[in-house]
Amino acid sequence: MTTLKEKQQIQKEFQSRMDEDELLNCMRCGFCLPTCPTYIESGFQESHSPRGRIALMKAVVDGHIEPDEDVERSLNMCLGCRACEPVCPSGVNYGHLLEEARDIINQNKKHSLSARVIRKTVFKGLFPYQNRMRTLTSLLGIYQRSGMQNIVHKSGLMKLFPDSLATMEKVLPQVPARKEMLNRPEHLEPIGARQKKVAFFSGCLMDTMFMKTNDSTMQLLQIAGCEIVIPKSQACCGALHGHSGEKEDAKALAKRNIVAFEEAEVDYIITNAGGCGAFLIDYDHLLKDDPHWAERAKAFSMKLKDISAILVELDFHKKELFLSKQVITYQDSCHLRNVMKTASEPRMLLQAIQGTTYCEMKNADSCCGSGGIYNIVESEMSMKILDSKMDTVKETEAKTIVTANPGCLLQMKLGIEREGLSDQMRAVHIADLLLEAVGE
């Protein structure tokens, strides 16, 4: 429960920190409504739409309402998919407003003891330190390889957890051993003539739990003619912090990454995770008020490019790509499409694979319900969105669902498992599928 003193402080900071011009930019036209998954799945509740949330923020700024639990609930229910932004005639930067509002609330309310412990452990003690991420992931690997996972499943212990979490545990990738995670490259030469010199943002979860996808990405870059630098001093992108009301920690991580990649002196900085890429490309906004970092952040952001975008630029889709006969469909990463503006390139690459049939999914640009950790903290709404998504997936009759973000990948795997389709369908990251298609 937020106290009166906390509410007053939150309101004061809303008035001083929220961009009122941006709030006034919203014309209340409603173009955002059909694009918002929480508005649709909540039964068209205005408070769960982008327009409604902006109205709530403006009402707090104007002093018409208190920043109470209902306001916080509305903001927390948002996936942050930013599908509202491309359709907004006024160009409202909704994602920036949402992150600022969440930060103000989280920094000025007293969390429960358990929430404080969890937030401190995750945001300050785990994600900023890649070695700790490796240690945690290696424990998961031991659990998977030792036979303990089979024992837990047979014992029925997973029934104690919510269905979505129990199913998620089942679809987690087989993670590498700690020794493999420690033995990571820092520089790779191109295969053939050098076309570009790039730096690779390896990420935290991507270079541990999804390390094989990172390896596939780097191999694809080499085949495309890229010299690759992988800065050892890079850090977590800060997306989890920025989306969860820990903006100062996100800024600290951004500065670490800017320094790490400045030293690389490359043509592009390549990502293979839509969520990470969208936050990285927004560093110029995150640090816009810092005179020492603003220009450096802008230079960093201008070099960001998704793996699919550089592959198309280097004509990878014109290579001989082949897979066995199958129907392929693509689920957009919201952040890759809506923030990084990358949508046609993944499709061009997939459509170039001989032997396959590409089938465009209805509403492929709508969110799958993953939203970082949204499918854990807002499981009920996430599963409603996923169930709707799986209805459109089944219409394609696809054998392979392709994604471009680890959260989306796990969510689609979860959907396949929930629908009982694991013997008929698979979900795969685009980098892994392309490497499979090129025959390496």
Side-chain angles (χ1 to χ4, degrees), residues 223-328:
I223 294 167
C226 292
E227 177 188 355
I228 312 167
V229 179
I230 308 99
K232 195 171 184 179
S233 57
Q234 64 179 289
C236 168
C237 67
L240 182 62
H241 301 77
H243 300 329
S244 304
E246 299 289 343
K247 199 170 183 179
E248 289 306 311
D249 288 336
K251 288 180 179 179
L253 290 167
K255 291 172 184 177
R256 283 174 59 184
N257 282 322
I258 289 168
V259 170
F261 284 88
E262 278 176 340
E263 296 169 354
E265 296 183 351
V266 294
D267 300 311
Y268 299 123
I269 299 168
I270 305 301
T271 71
N272 62 358
C276 294
F279 201 75
L280 292 166
I281 210 167
D282 253 357
Y283 276 4
D284 58 344
H285 172 77
L286 184 68
L287 297 171
K288 65 182 174 61
D289 297 323
D290 190 322
H292 182 65
W293 290 93
E295 286 302 315
R296 296 167 73 182
K298 186 176 180 180
F300 176 94
S301 297
M302 288 177 67
K303 288 188 176 183
L304 256 293
K305 197 178 281 284
D306 181 68
I307 176 63
S308 61
I310 190 170
L311 289 180
V312 168
E313 181 179 322
L314 297 176
D315 291 334
F316 192 88
H317 56 300
K318 296 179 182 178
K319 291 183 179 292
E320 289 188 14
L321 305 173
F322 180 82
L323 287 173
S324 60
K325 186 178 179 181
Q326 59 189 283
V327 177
I328 294 173

Side-chain angles (χ1 to χ4, degrees), residues 8 28 30 96 106 113 127 138 170 173 190 201 206 226 239-240 268 281 312 315 319 324 338 344 356 360 371 382 410:
Q8 289 173 340
R28 314 289 191 263
H96 297 163
N106 276 288
L113 177 60
F127 275 85
S138 65
K170 194 183 296 185
F201 182 81
M206 287 304 299
C226 292
L240 182 62
Y268 299 123
I281 210 167
V312 168
D315 291 334
K319 291 183 179 292
S324 60
N338 300 326
S344 62
T356 68
E360 181 70 15
S382 175
L410 285 182

Side-chain angles (χ1 to χ4, degrees), residues 85-373:
E85 293 186 8
V87 301
C88 178
S90 299
V92 176
N93 289 302
Y94 171 79
H96 297 163
L97 290 172
L98 177 69
E99 288 181 3
E100 192 73 7
R102 283 178 171 172
D103 187 62
I104 292 169
I105 290 171
N106 276 288
Q107 296 306 316
N108 290 284
K109 64 171 281 186
K110 187 175 182 180
H111 293 281
S112 66
L113 177 60
S114 59
R116 291 200 302 274
V117 170
I118 292 170
R119 291 179 75 89
K120 186 174 182 180
T121 300
V122 171
F123 296 129
K124 298 185 185 298
L126 180 60
F127 275 85
Y129 303 98
Q130 189 65 0
N131 199 43
R132 295 177 189 177
M133 292 291 294
R134 293 189 190 102
T135 299
L136 184 63
T137 308
S138 65
L139 293 176
L140 174 60
I142 293 169
Y143 167 73
Q144 291 174 330
R145 292 187 295 272
S146 66
M148 195 183 305
Q149 187 174 32
N150 291 331
I151 294 171
V152 168
H153 287 174
K154 289 176 182 177
S155 71
L157 278 174
M158 293 310 297
K159 293 178 181 178
L160 299 174
F161 296 90
D163 288 345
S164 59
L165 273 181
T167 309
M168 183 69 77
E169 182 269 348
K170 194 183 296 185
V171 301
L172 288 173
Q174 291 294 310
V175 302
R178 180 176 173 81
K179 185 177 180 180
E180 292 179 81
M181 288 186 277
L182 288 171
N183 187 28
R184 304 301 288 148
E186 293 180 46
H187 183 268
L188 294 168
E189 292 292 340
I191 295 173
R194 190 182 91 158
Q195 303 296 320
K196 297 287 181 182
K197 182 181 179 183
V198 303
F200 179 51
F201 182 81
S202 52
C204 42
L205 279 176
M206 287 304 299
D207 216 42
T208 50
M209 190 178 292
F210 297 93
M211 194 183 83
K212 292 188 185 305
T213 299
N214 267 6
D215 289 342
S216 296
T217 304
M218 289 186 282
Q219 282 184 261
L220 291 173
L221 288 170
Q222 286 179 287
I223 294 167
C226 292
E227 177 188 355
I228 312 167
V229 179
I230 308 99
K232 195 171 184 179
S233 57
Q234 64 179 289
C236 168
C237 67
L240 182 62
H241 301 77
H243 300 329
S244 304
E246 299 289 343
K247 199 170 183 179
E248 289 306 311
D249 288 336
K251 288 180 179 179
L253 290 167
K255 291 172 184 177
R256 283 174 59 184
N257 282 322
I258 289 168
V259 170
F261 284 88
E262 278 176 340
E263 296 169 354
E265 296 183 351
V266 294
D267 300 311
Y268 299 123
I269 299 168
I270 305 301
T271 71
N272 62 358
C276 294
F279 201 75
L280 292 166
I281 210 167
D282 253 357
Y283 276 4
D284 58 344
H285 172 77
L286 184 68
L287 297 171
K288 65 182 174 61
D289 297 323
D290 190 322
H292 182 65
W293 290 93
E295 286 302 315
R296 296 167 73 182
K298 186 176 180 180
F300 176 94
S301 297
M302 288 177 67
K303 288 188 176 183
L304 256 293
K305 197 178 281 284
D306 181 68
I307 176 63
S308 61
I310 190 170
L311 289 180
V312 168
E313 181 179 322
L314 297 176
D315 291 334
F316 192 88
H317 56 300
K318 296 179 182 178
K319 291 183 179 292
E320 289 188 14
L321 305 173
F322 180 82
L323 287 173
S324 60
K325 186 178 179 181
Q326 59 189 283
V327 177
I328 294 173
T329 194
Y330 178 68
Q331 166 61 31
D332 281 286
S333 156
C334 295
H335 289 110
L336 181 60
R337 183 185 185 101
N338 300 326
V339 185
M340 294 191 75
K341 312 300 182 190
T342 302
S344 62
E345 293 91 340
R347 290 169 168 82
M348 288 176 66
L349 291 162
L350 295 175
Q351 289 167 6
I353 302 175
Q354 298 175 45
T356 68
T357 301
Y358 178 80
C359 182
E360 181 70 15
M361 188 195 311
K362 180 184 177 183
N363 298 327
D365 58 345
S366 68
C367 188
C368 64
S370 170
I373 58 171

